[in-house]
Amino acid sequence: MYRALFPSALHTFLLISTFTTIISAAGPDGKRTTKCKVKRKDSQGVLIAQNPTPVQNAAPSPPAQTTSNPTSTQIVNGNQNETLLTFTRLPPFDYQNRKVRGVNLGGWFLMEPWITPSMFEKTGNEGIVDEYTFGQYQDRGYASGLLQQHWATWYTEQDFIEMASVGLNHIRLPISYWSVPIDQDTGPYITGAWPYILQALDWANAHGLYVILDLHGAPGSQNGFDNSGQRTGQPSWAYDQAFLDRTLNVLDAIGRQVGDKVEVIELLNEISGFRDQQWVDAAKRFWQAGYDRIRAAAGGDVKIMIGDAFLGVHSWDGYLKSGQGVMMDLHVYQIFSNDELRRSWDDHVSFMCNRVSEFTSYTSNNLWLVMGEWSNAITDCAKYLNGRGVGARWDGTYTPGGGEVLGTCQGMTGSYTTFSEDYKRFLRKYWETQVSVAEKVNGWVYWTWKAENADDWSYQKGVEAGFIPRNPDDRLYPNICG
């Protein structure tokens, strides 16, 4: 597919220092050209909670949907500058010979209560546990205003600058089906995120970050988790072909509208293949159909990502092997069962190291493999991690009436200022272990860049605290897995 140049656009940036004209010409390798002309200016059934009347114009206006890049704004040192920025598409990423080093931008275009608990707590309604109920149990105008403010502020261009500055080359951007502007039934979900999504894609490209655009929530819910948009014990995506067809229509629109702005399109996050054979069969049909839709809509340049549906990568041996530019997404956490939580710190490291052969044997005969979600967390202590109103297995509050207590949550999550020096040293070791294993294959995408109050999950805070290096090549344990 032809990789069109982005049109020139006027961006408003507030930069750290005063600039004159800056011109960086493209070299023979075709890398991004940036031209900057800067002008300095000195000068589930519950009652709906009663919501305050929304303040008129309280929410920021969404970025304009135009063929040019949207306007962006930064404020640094109180100075405002205007920048004329033009750039070409990033050159294709070499997945065969380079390693993906990325972060997820969780909780932005599909909210999760544990990432931004304040968004849910400010509703004053404990029945609001996901984006479905966020729109269902509130005045829609009020809910829309809250989300517009969230989309405009939870991530800003400064985040993209920081991500690039710490050696990352990819972002994985989770989005929801109801955010894609097509004629579809979106139920109680609040729409309107698409202009902000387009802005995020432009920011990523401007700062040298390749995008994995991840469809994270599908009609009927593909897993019943709050991160699909709807927390439910009875997800129905796989049981109704109409839901699969609607999801394919969303993918078709994504391919047509932004297939030339992203490096990878992930067809759907975390299909719950563990439920029964019908879910397994639906996943297999969907991956092939989704692959065909994206190729028809976006051509052959964009890469396509599928997932293991919680079945293990070798359950997919030979699948889509003949496809063009396909990769497998594997998510690795060691915290969502008591057996995993009982592991000692050294056991967590050993368990990860012991997966090297599993990873490399898959990629040697199948697809590229990227560890697309993982974190430094070794407990499930982050508030609302298991769902709003649900406690943690670690401290025994997960089970109503009490359960096995494995430890205290104090000093294990929240602010890193409460972490012991031993704990921070272990987090560095654990980060290096997981990176080392993932880079035996095609790389990794950490979950997540930031969270309101869970620094054990935050890449940003990990760098700030020193248990994640500013340069991923810096290793204190270079031979951790032998």
Side-chain angles (χ1 to χ4, degrees):
M1 181 178 63
Y2 176 69
R3 290 180 175 271
L5 300 182
F6 287 139
S8 298
L10 182 64
H11 286 243
T12 301
F13 289 86
L14 299 177
L15 304 176
I16 293 176
S17 57
T18 304
F19 290 92
T20 55
T21 302
I22 301 174
I23 299 177
S24 175
D29 58 358
K31 291 186 177 180
R32 175 166 59 94
T33 300
T34 303
K35 300 178 181 179
C36 298
K37 182 180 180 181
V38 183
K39 180 181 178 181
R40 172 75 174 267
K41 292 184 178 180
D42 291 318
S43 23
Q44 246 131 328
V46 296
L47 293 175
I48 300 176
Q50 183 70 34
N51 294 123
T53 302
V55 178
Q56 294 297 317
N57 301 322
S61 298
Q65 295 193 62
T66 67
T67 55
S68 63
N69 298 322
T71 300
S72 60
T73 302
Q74 284 184 284
I75 297 176
V76 179
N77 295 338
N79 298 316
Q80 182 170 330
N81 301 273
E82 292 181 355
T83 304
L84 181 62
L85 177 68
T86 64
F87 52 86
T88 65
R89 280 277 304 182
L90 296 173
F93 190 84
D94 183 359
Y95 291 97
Q96 189 63 39
N97 297 301
R98 295 181 64 190
K99 303 303 179 185
V100 173
R101 292 174 166 179
V103 286
N104 285 273
L105 276 56
W108 192 7
F109 299 121
L110 206 165
M111 289 193 302
E112 300 185 34
W114 75 269
I115 297 178
T116 54
S118 67
M119 285 293 293
F120 292 83
E121 292 169 348
K122 71 176 60 173
T123 69
N125 188 335
E126 294 182 357
I128 296 176
V129 298
D130 51 24
E131 277 214 36
Y132 189 94
T133 50
F134 196 88
Q136 183 179 31
Y137 295 147
Q138 296 188 95
D139 172 83
R140 291 188 66 79
Y142 178 71
S144 179
L146 291 176
L147 281 170
Q148 291 280 343
Q149 185 71 27
H150 171 71
W151 296 330
T153 60
W154 177 234
Y155 278 87
T156 69
E157 188 171 15
Q158 186 62 35
D159 289 292
F160 290 76
I161 293 170
E162 291 178 15
M163 288 180 246
S165 76
V166 294
L168 301 176
N169 54 39
H170 277 70
I171 63 165
R172 181 170 177 258
L173 185 63
I175 67 171
S176 56
Y177 82 88
W178 58 90
S179 295
V180 180
I182 61 173
D183 184 13
Q184 61 172 330
D185 178 10
T186 56
Y189 291 114
I190 303 296
T191 60
W194 190 247
Y196 299 95
I197 293 170
L198 296 180
Q199 185 175 67
L201 301 185
D202 285 317
W203 285 342
N205 192 89
H207 297 291
L209 295 166
Y210 294 88
V211 177
I212 301 170
L213 190 62
D214 157 41
L215 185 58
H216 217 71
S221 178
Q222 75 276 17
N223 52 38
F225 306 152
D226 57 15
N227 60 48
S228 73
Q230 185 176 15
R231 179 177 135 191
T232 174
Q234 297 181 315
S236 52
W237 178 84
Y239 297 137
D240 189 337
Q241 183 62 39
F243 287 146
L244 275 71
D245 291 340
R246 288 172 58 192
T247 311
L248 291 169
N249 290 339
V250 170
L251 288 175
D252 182 73
I254 289 172
R256 284 185 288 103
Q257 295 189 44
V258 296
D260 61 346
K261 284 193 171 187
V262 301
E263 196 71 9
V264 181
I265 295 174
E266 182 159 8
L267 301 181
L268 188 58
N269 179 66
E270 291 186 348
I271 297 174
S272 53
F274 56 81
R275 290 185 175 274
D276 59 42
Q277 189 61 41
Q278 192 166 347
W279 283 84
V280 177
D281 295 341
K284 290 179 178 178
R285 295 196 313 274
F286 178 75
W287 292 148
Q288 182 64 63
Y291 173 87
D292 294 339
R293 285 291 190 98
I294 293 298
R295 285 286 166 257
D301 285 349
V302 67
K303 307 301 186 293
I304 293 173
M305 180 174 275
I306 64 174
D308 77 327
F310 298 106
L311 301 174
V313 291
H314 283 291
S315 296
W316 300 90
D317 282 342
Y319 188 80
L320 277 179
K321 187 175 179 179
S322 61
Q324 173 191 356
V326 187
M327 60 187 70
M328 174 65 73
D329 178 19
L330 178 67
H331 298 175
V332 178
Y333 298 111
Q334 298 187 50
I335 58 171
F336 291 112
S337 72
N338 279 21
D339 285 343
E340 293 170 306
L341 290 168
R342 290 190 196 101
R343 292 172 186 158
S344 68
W345 291 0
D346 286 342
D347 288 341
H348 282 293
V349 169
S350 296
F351 178 85
M352 196 66 216
C353 287
N354 288 336
R355 301 196 71 173
V356 170
S357 61
E358 172 195 353
F359 288 15
T360 56
S361 63
Y362 174 80
T363 54
S364 65
N365 293 299
N366 293 281
L367 311 176
W368 294 319
L369 176 60
V370 174
M371 198 163 79
E373 286 190 26
W374 60 283
S375 84
N376 263 341
I378 56 168
T379 76
D380 63 339
C381 285
K383 187 178 185 181
Y384 302 153
L385 180 64
N386 295 306
R388 188 180 182 198
V390 181
R393 298 172 185 85
W394 183 257
D395 66 359
T397 58
Y398 180 84
T399 304
E404 179 183 3
V405 177
L406 298 167
T408 176
C409 286
Q410 179 62 34
M412 301 301 289
T413 191
S415 171
Y416 69 77
T417 61
T418 68
F419 296 177
S420 70
E421 291 303 312
D422 282 347
Y423 184 37
K424 286 189 286 187
R425 278 192 292 270
F426 168 74
L427 292 177
R428 174 63 178 261
K429 185 176 184 180
Y430 194 37
W431 181 91
E432 291 194 23
T433 301
Q434 295 179 92
V435 165
S436 175
V437 173
E439 293 192 354
K440 297 291 186 184
V441 284
N442 301 98
W444 47 270
V445 189
Y446 187 93
W447 188 280
T448 179
W449 174 247
K450 61 181 175 181
E452 284 182 346
N453 191 32
D455 291 356
D456 48 331
W457 288 83
S458 169
Y459 202 99
Q460 181 186 53
K461 291 297 185 180
V463 170
E464 183 179 305
F467 56 80
I468 294 176
R470 293 195 61 84
N471 181 344
D473 286 327
D474 292 342
R475 306 290 171 86
L476 300 178
Y477 309 91
N479 300 307
I480 187 66
C481 291

